[in-house]
Amino acid sequence: MRASGQGSIAFKRLGGDRVQLIVHGEVAGVPGQDSGAGNAGFIADGRMRPDGWHAEAGDIRIDIDAQGQITGGGTVQQDRYVLSGRLTASQGTLVVAIEQGAARILGLGTEISSFRLTYELKRRQVEGDRPLTTTGSGQGSCPHVVYQPRMIANIGGDVMSTVQVPVCTP
């Protein structure tokens, strides 16, 4: 199965050196979902250090070094997560590979042993941002960004949280 959708990555300053990573993703046409869209997002609370951003949520560790390289992984309810990618000032890629252990996706009629979420992102200027070096009028540009509340899972396995995420609107 292959599906795509829309997503975003945002950092929210919580105070001091604490910064929350918010990954939002809505995958269209997911079987078994009432809304027809699957939630492919998560949040993680971390800390900024001179060498980058670091988070530990439950048994999951995520690091983004000063050059934007993303590494991390761990286990949640016997499912193994591996995170990789790179963020720059204008674009980014985040790959979350999940190998399922004891937990299985139910209602699809078949067992899924693993899956991969790939976020290919381009930076959009939002209100309050410094001007970007490009005009933003290229392929996939977004004419208007608004912040909307969404339920996002905490990557460490805690309860879901309602967070404001950037959403592209025409």
Side-chain angles (χ1 to χ4, degrees):
M1 179 179 122
R2 187 175 193 87
S4 63
Q6 294 187 355
S8 63
I9 293 178
F11 290 94
K12 178 181 178 183
R13 187 168 300 280
L14 300 176
D17 66 349
R18 295 179 46 236
V19 176
Q20 186 176 65
L21 170 65
I22 303 168
V23 177
H24 171 246
E26 290 181 8
V27 180
V30 176
Q33 298 292 322
D34 293 336
S35 67
N39 181 347
F42 64 88
I43 61 173
D45 293 342
R47 296 195 180 275
M48 286 301 295
R49 300 180 191 158
D51 62 338
W53 179 85
H54 307 278
E56 288 189 27
D59 292 330
I60 300 285
R61 177 192 48 73
I62 307 171
D63 297 302
I64 304 174
D65 70 18
Q67 290 73 43
Q69 192 70 33
I70 303 168
T71 57
T75 304
V76 175
Q77 299 175 357
Q78 299 181 5
D79 293 341
R80 184 169 180 265
Y81 287 67
V82 176
L83 289 86
S84 61
R86 183 169 177 85
L87 297 176
T88 69
S90 62
Q91 62 188 10
T93 299
L94 170 63
V95 177
V96 180
I98 305 170
E99 294 178 8
Q100 294 188 312
R104 297 285 182 225
I105 295 179
L106 301 176
L108 297 179
T110 184
E111 274 190 20
I112 297 176
S113 60
S114 67
F115 55 98
R116 182 181 189 96
L117 304 172
T118 303
Y119 302 84
E120 295 286 343
L121 303 163
K122 292 187 179 185
R123 183 175 166 86
R124 306 288 182 241
Q125 187 169 352
V126 295
E127 191 173 324
D129 267 356
R130 291 179 300 216
L132 297 176
T133 56
T134 61
T135 62
S137 60
Q139 178 182 0
S141 67
C142 180
H144 188 252
V145 175
V146 297
Y147 281 80
Q148 296 178 350
R150 295 285 197 270
M151 292 296 292
I152 307 291
N154 290 297
I155 196 162
D158 292 337
V159 297
M160 294 182 77
S161 299
T162 301
V163 295
Q164 296 279 10
V165 299
V167 176
C168 180
T169 60

